[in-house]
């Protein structure tokens, strides 16, 4: 968990104030956060014990939701594939397509649904991990300024209530555009893969 916090800081830290750090910087930051030495933080930094529950909750819910959706989608796709292509009449390419593509679609659907459903919780989690770490982020609204992280959340419940009061429900979905772009590209890769397999299937007939 402390290394997750350190890696999260590395991903959002502005390039303007970033030092020339090595690839193992997050390891040093993580160790420093555990022992409380070598890393300058403010008094607003939340202790690791208060981050355990939201971190574990997010991980467990993500696993449960993705597992249920993956099995459900895979069951539907395999049943549909079995009804469309009897096993004895399938070519090797068709068999490969029927074997692997439903799993790719199921994994995609499971990951998409779990990320969308848990995005508000992930927003809260990220804010709690970054608070008090002296992180400077880019002002994406203006494009030429940097902003310090000056939040003063006391915990998960206070973070949720503060976001709801000050930013509204949409505050939980800040940065959601990146998720849309990510899964749009993912869907495009899956579609291209299916086209390639379908082309190979037609050439083998």
């Amino acid at each position: 968990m402390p290394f997750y916090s350190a890696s999260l800081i590395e991903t959002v830290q502005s390039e303007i104030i970033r030092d020339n750090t090595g690839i193992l910087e997050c390891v040093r930051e993580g160790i420093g956060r555990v022992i409380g030495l070598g890393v300058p933080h403010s008094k607003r930094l939340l202790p690791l014990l208060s981050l355990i529950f939201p971190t574990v909750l997010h991980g467990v819910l993500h696993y449960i939701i993705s597992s249920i959706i993956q099995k459900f989608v895979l069951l539907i796709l395999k049943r549909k594939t079995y009804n469309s292509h009897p096993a004895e009449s399938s070519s090797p390419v068709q068999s490969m397509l029927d074997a692997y593509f439903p799993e790719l679609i199921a994994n995609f659907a499971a990951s998409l649904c779990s990320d969308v459903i848990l995005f508000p919780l992930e927003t809260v989690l990220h804010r709690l991990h970054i608070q008090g770490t002296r992180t400077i982020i880019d002002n994406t609204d203006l494009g030429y300024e940097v902003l310090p992280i000056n939040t003063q959340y006391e915990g998960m419940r206070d973070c949720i209530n503060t976001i709801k009061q000050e930013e509204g429900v949409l505050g939980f979905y800040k940065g959601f555009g990146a998720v849309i772009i990510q899964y749009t590209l993912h869907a495009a890769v899956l579609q291209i893969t299916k086209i390639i397999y379908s082309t190979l299937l037609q050439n083998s007939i």
Side-chain angles (χ1 to χ4, degrees):
M1 189 175 64
F3 300 105
Y4 171 79
S5 299
S7 64
L8 182 62
I9 295 171
E10 288 294 319
T11 60
V12 300
Q13 186 80 277
S14 174
E15 291 289 342
I16 296 178
I17 52 89
R18 187 191 298 270
D19 297 328
N20 293 325
T21 57
I23 59 176
L24 298 179
E25 180 65 20
C26 64
V27 176
R28 185 184 70 85
E29 290 277 347
I31 296 175
R33 183 154 188 176
V34 172
I35 63 179
L37 296 175
V39 184
H41 295 309
S42 71
K43 295 181 179 179
R44 299 189 309 273
L45 182 70
L46 293 173
L48 291 176
L49 289 177
S50 64
L51 297 175
I52 292 178
F53 176 73
T55 303
V56 173
L57 178 65
H58 178 269
V60 171
L61 288 178
H62 193 282
Y63 173 77
I64 293 175
I65 294 174
S66 60
S67 297
I68 293 175
I69 295 177
Q70 180 185 15
K71 292 180 180 179
F72 178 73
V73 173
L74 190 59
L75 179 63
I76 294 177
L77 292 177
K78 285 191 173 182
R79 183 175 300 177
K80 181 179 178 181
T81 300
Y82 178 79
N83 294 332
S84 301
H85 306 286
E88 61 273 7
S89 62
S90 299
S91 66
V93 178
Q94 182 66 54
S95 298
M96 185 178 297
L97 181 63
D98 294 341
Y100 294 108
F101 198 73
E103 293 189 7
L104 294 177
I105 295 296
N107 290 334
F108 170 79
S111 181
L112 172 62
C113 292
S114 56
D115 283 350
V116 171
I117 293 173
L118 295 177
F119 193 85
L121 178 58
E122 187 176 11
T123 299
V124 173
L125 183 64
H126 287 177
R127 294 194 182 193
L128 293 177
H129 274 278
I130 293 177
Q131 176 174 297
T133 57
R134 301 185 184 276
T135 301
I136 305 295
I137 63 174
D138 294 311
N139 187 343
T140 55
D141 293 329
L142 299 178
Y144 54 84
E145 290 183 353
V146 292
L147 298 173
I149 302 296
N150 292 322
T151 56
Q152 298 184 17
Y153 306 123
E154 297 179 0
M156 179 179 177
R157 180 178 299 179
D158 180 57
C159 182
I160 294 175
N161 293 333
T162 302
I163 294 176
K164 187 185 301 182
Q165 293 174 2
E166 297 182 356
E167 305 174 43
V169 178
L170 293 180
F172 293 100
Y173 289 92
K174 287 186 175 180
F176 191 72
V179 177
I180 296 176
I181 295 175
Q182 172 187 344
Y183 283 100
T184 299
L185 295 175
H186 194 166
V189 171
L190 288 177
Q191 187 63 30
I192 293 174
T193 303
K194 185 176 181 180
I195 292 175
I196 294 174
Y197 271 108
S198 298
T199 303
L200 293 175
L201 178 61
Q202 292 177 356
N203 293 335
S204 64
I205 297 177

